[in-house]
Amino acid sequence: MKEIKLLLLFFIIGTSSFGQDLKISASSFSIQPEKGMLASHTRVNVLVENVYGDLKNVVYLFEDNGKRFLLITSPLGVDGYLRQPIVNLANKVLNLNEDQVVTASSHNHTVPAIILNSDGADEFNQAQKLSHKVGKDFMEKLEKSFLSLENKLVPVNVEWGKAEENRISYNRRGSYPNGKTYFMREEDRQLVGEGYIGTIDPDVSVVVFKNSKNNQPVAALSMFACHPVVAYNPEKQFSFGQFPQIMTEMLSEYFNGIPVGFVQGSSGDINAKFMLTGTIEQAKEAGRLLGETAIIAAKNLIPSVRTGLEYNSSVARIPFADLPSLPELKLSLAEIDDFIKRGNAGDENTLSCVGMNFPKALTPPYRANLILGVRDWYVWAIQQHDNNKLFEIPRNLPIKIFIARFGDVGLSVFPYEVFVKTGLKIKRETNLPIVLAGGYSNGTYGYIPDESATDDREYMSGYFRYRKNSPPYTGKAGDAAADLAVKILNDFAK
């Protein structure tokens, strides 16, 4: 009888611990941009004029009884043009498939563009050579990090903390008296008033993974919802890690040098202050402020009650609306052509067109270039009418979202620029004490508005036009993905 009781006890212990043995390993590495490289986040051929420090990247391997996924956090375009090479490398080194690889960009606007493809390298100009050199360095260091992950896996407990930060961000979807919305850049924010904030997500979230054997931190992950654009100007570019990197460096120092990554929150309509007109000193100060708040969160960590790891990669469907009428489209195209002509001629009175507004801080030719980016959409939409193809237009956009839970912490990341109300909806409706709800991961579908913004046509809400052949969004729009994320997270929370 005693032996039976012991066997029963071992069985209970064994079954209760199965699926609860979360392990993690993490590695960080830096690349060093150089002056004269190609710049990213610009529509003109400008180069990086100044470089302020390195750019840090962090990779994590999560494992629980055979279940694995990889997370890469970076200031570079790992959600877009770098994703497939990263997935290929992860498959080669770690035998992971595409659904097990999460590539999360901080969406930093002050980073260079890097080149991985060496085809035609003999004909590269100096800027391309520099971008290829740094791109090669990135991939070599990434592979080295991948190779180190399996040997560093350790069992961990998950702790988390949150603190509120409302000094550096604001909602950039301003509203005119007639109810129409506009893109509120720095000069517009100053007109509204220095105290303006609007609807933001003030949570600075910090998740710490502690070795379950000695309770020492081995890695941490952070999130905040805000475009890293302090001092960014697309016509005058520099390289700088912005506030995500300063914050993570401060957290790393606080935890004695552990790797600390950053996943961008639901910041599609959330800006940092001082876009286009700021200074590098203001950019550094924003980082210090955010870092101070993150350390407050780190000093007040809460241990998870739940254990283990779960994750899911599922398809959400974002509903499309009908195209505008043919007369409306033709009038808009004429308005665009007139705007482009005047902008290229230097007309300063080129401040609004087809629902979009532009700041005086950008030159008229650059404003014309921004509008040129949507012109093809109107040509395409007119062709659908002319060729009687309206019935062939898809009714929804299928996108793949990644959802996970480790301990009490939920992770929900989407392949587009998520509006803040969508992120807040996920956090509000999920039965977990903390959810990292963000975007800029595993794909680049641009901005997808929340349900309240589908009829607006400022830059963010009307971004579908930059996708050339995508209808407007309708109904729940991005909130349709949020509904699916909440359902999965709440299944994980049971």
Side-chain angles (χ1 to χ4, degrees), residues 52-69:
Y52 302 98
D54 60 2
L55 295 174
K56 289 186 170 59
N57 311 267
V58 181
V59 297
Y60 306 80
L61 181 62
F62 291 79
E63 180 181 271
D64 181 354
N65 288 284
K67 296 178 293 184
R68 282 185 165 190
F69 79 86

Side-chain angles (χ1 to χ4, degrees), residues 87-100:
V87 169
N88 294 342
L89 184 62
N91 178 259
K92 170 188 169 185
V93 176
L94 295 166
N95 195 32
L96 298 175
N97 63 42
E98 186 173 11
D99 288 345
Q100 294 173 288

